[in-house]
Amino acid sequence: MNFKKIFSILLAITLFFALSGEGRANGDYALTGQEAFSGKNLYYSNAVYNNRASYASHKSAFNFAVSKMNAIPYTSINLYAGAGTKANPLRIDMSSVNSASYDWYGQAAYNSGFATLRINEDSTSDAGFIQSNYNKTAMHELAHAFYARHQHSSVSSVMKQGKYSYSDYTTLDKSNFGTKY
Amino acid sequence: MKLTYVIAFSSILLLSGCGHEAKVSTETESVYKNNLEGYINEDTLISDMVSIADFDVPSDVVELKNRSSYIVLVKAIRDLGDDIVNGEVLGSRKEVEVIKGFKNTLKKGDRIIIAEPGYVLNNEYVGVDSYVKMSDGEEYTLFLNPGDDQNEYGIVGLSYGKFSKNKESEVGSFENYTYYSEIEPISFLSKEPHEVNSYEKLRSAVYAEFEQ
């Protein structure tokens, strides 16, 4: 093998890593495995949730999200509805708000032991949400309760921000949850 | 004589009314003071509670302008405590004074309330998404829509609708900090580099168009 050939191969390898590095540096790539999470909750097994959303579309969306989360294969996640007990207290609370002061469609506040998920009626109705949009928002917020990070808008994932329609967690989402939980 | 009685009676009514208004103002002042005192300060810790939101991130300054009813340059004045909506704390309220209005009717000297997506819970700061609260005395360019109450406004795109010339954005997360004072100089804090990049592009475009 002559010097010219070796140089060409080395140049090709260098360019390959440089370009993939550039994409990674800008964040416009799919987060996979552990990288797709920023921590770990302590409640994923047999976690009790309370869906007290006051709008039918929100309530339905949260129930939809729970069914899809429970259906993700190869995980230990098991959410069930209830008020909680001393032994197994409430871990995830789901509710509705109706506020023009906040521009978000959904919001999740969580730590390792408890999560509060909300859907905002004012912003979602202003944006013309249909049920599949509410479903995506609910799946997105529920995934945050399990410490999932946002994905870039170019990625096929319920974890990207904004008004989208999804009928289920995507292949990427399921793969990530299967790795983590 | 009759006129004298009328004037005297009216004066008594007027003066008692003034006294009542003054009493209401004092009570309101004390409520605000209780809310304000120590609401957020250098000793406020950063909460381990993470709060993150799903919303449409503005793709460029054109979208940001189109989504906003008001665009203003303001000076932050003081905190007014928690913003409680239907019994839940969703953020906190900040009084600001308009320095310049770029879109719609808000004008220099107007004092308005901003609903900020960041609040204090048990003396610990919870920032919604990448939001760090405005600092009193600092100037900000804000993109706003009418809020829940009269004279209250919400920020379009959360952190993406608030800009400061003096503060920088940073790649990082709230959990890496202990005290609020450490994040106070930061305008936008996200662990996602692409989010910080998007914010900085917006910031450059905002200051190119809305030069003060």
Side-chain angles (χ1 to χ4, degrees), chain B residues 170-182:
Chain B
E170 198 167 296
V171 176
S173 55
F174 289 107
E175 60 221 33
N176 297 138
Y177 298 90
T178 306
Y179 290 101
Y180 183 81
S181 57
E182 298 174 84

Side-chain angles (χ1 to χ4, degrees), chain B residues 9-10 15 21 26 30 55 79 96 102 105 108 113 125-126 129 134 140 154 175 177 180 184 189 197:
Chain B
F9 186 65
S10 301
L15 285 168
E21 280 168 10
T26 304
S30 69
F55 57 99
D79 277 303
V96 303
F102 297 104
T105 54
K108 183 180 167 75
I113 310 298
Y125 179 70
V126 181
D129 227 75
M134 290 184 276
Y140 298 86
E175 60 221 33
Y177 298 90
Y180 183 81
E184 206 243 345
L189 179 66
N197 287 342

Side-chain angles (χ1 to χ4, degrees), chain A residues 25-27 38 95 99-110 118 136 140-141 144 149-150 152 161-163, chain B residues 48-57 67 83 88 90-91 115 146-148 152 154-157 191-195:
Chain A
N26 286 339
S38 60
S95 66
S99 175
S101 292
Y102 298 94
D103 203 23
W104 44 260
Y105 299 139
Q107 187 234 4
Y110 55 92
R118 301 179 176 109
K136 178 267 175 187
H140 180 106
E141 300 313 330
H144 276 318
R149 289 169 64 183
H150 281 150
H152 191 267
Q161 289 176 291
K163 179 188 170 191
Chain B
D48 70 345
M49 178 76 72
V50 177
S51 181
I52 195 160
D54 188 13
F55 57 99
D56 282 317
V57 175
R67 280 169 57 178
D83 185 28
E88 297 192 71
L90 298 185
D148 294 328
E152 182 178 291
I155 304 174
V156 173
K191 61 168 69 84
E192 314 297 347
H194 70 266
E195 291 182 0

Side-chain angles (χ1 to χ4, degrees), chain A residues 91-172:
Chain A
R91 297 301 187 184
I92 302 178
D93 185 69
M94 300 158 175
S95 66
S96 302
V97 299
N98 184 18
S99 175
S101 292
Y102 298 94
D103 203 23
W104 44 260
Y105 299 139
Q107 187 234 4
Y110 55 92
N111 56 25
S112 57
F114 185 74
T116 298
L117 313 181
R118 301 179 176 109
I119 295 178
N120 188 356
E121 175 63 12
D122 185 274
S123 58
T124 52
S125 56
D126 276 355
F129 264 42
I130 59 175
Q131 193 59 49
S132 58
N133 302 130
Y134 284 112
N135 292 347
K136 178 267 175 187
T137 299
M139 286 193 287
H140 180 106
E141 300 313 330
L142 184 58
H144 276 318
F146 288 82
Y147 278 71
R149 289 169 64 183
H150 281 150
Q151 295 276 4
H152 191 267
S153 57
S154 62
V155 174
S156 175
S157 167
V158 305
M159 294 316 296
K160 58 186 183 185
Q161 289 176 291
K163 179 188 170 191
Y164 295 98
S165 286
Y166 279 97
S167 59
D168 198 353
Y169 288 102
T170 66
T171 303
L172 174 68

Side-chain angles (χ1 to χ4, degrees), chain B residues 26-44:
Chain B
T26 304
E27 284 173 352
T28 306
E29 280 286 324
S30 69
V31 165
Y32 280 149
K33 191 179 175 190
N34 287 339
N35 276 340
L36 287 172
E37 205 164 330
Y39 181 76
I40 194 160
N41 54 60
E42 288 184 350
D43 294 326
T44 303

Side-chain angles (χ1 to χ4, degrees), chain B residues 41-87:
Chain B
N41 54 60
E42 288 184 350
D43 294 326
T44 303
L45 297 166
I46 301 294
S47 177
D48 70 345
M49 178 76 72
V50 177
S51 181
I52 195 160
D54 188 13
F55 57 99
D56 282 317
V57 175
S59 55
D60 53 38
V61 72
V62 172
E63 182 188 334
L64 191 53
K65 284 192 300 181
N66 289 341
R67 280 169 57 178
S68 308
S69 299
Y70 302 88
I71 303 170
V72 285
L73 173 67
V74 304
K75 183 176 180 179
I77 304 298
R78 60 175 181 157
D79 277 303
L80 298 176
D82 292 335
D83 185 28
I84 301 172
V85 180
N86 297 127

Side-chain angles (χ1 to χ4, degrees), chain B residues 81-123:
Chain B
D82 292 335
D83 185 28
I84 301 172
V85 180
N86 297 127
E88 297 192 71
V89 177
L90 298 185
S92 57
R93 305 167 83 231
K94 175 80 86 178
E95 184 180 13
V96 303
E97 182 170 312
V98 177
I99 297 171
K100 188 172 181 180
F102 297 104
K103 181 177 181 182
N104 217 319
T105 54
L106 291 173
K107 60 188 186 307
K108 183 180 167 75
D110 286 343
R111 288 229 172 172
I112 60 176
I113 310 298
I114 306 299
E116 294 195 281
Y119 56 94
V120 177
L121 178 68
N122 301 323
N123 198 39

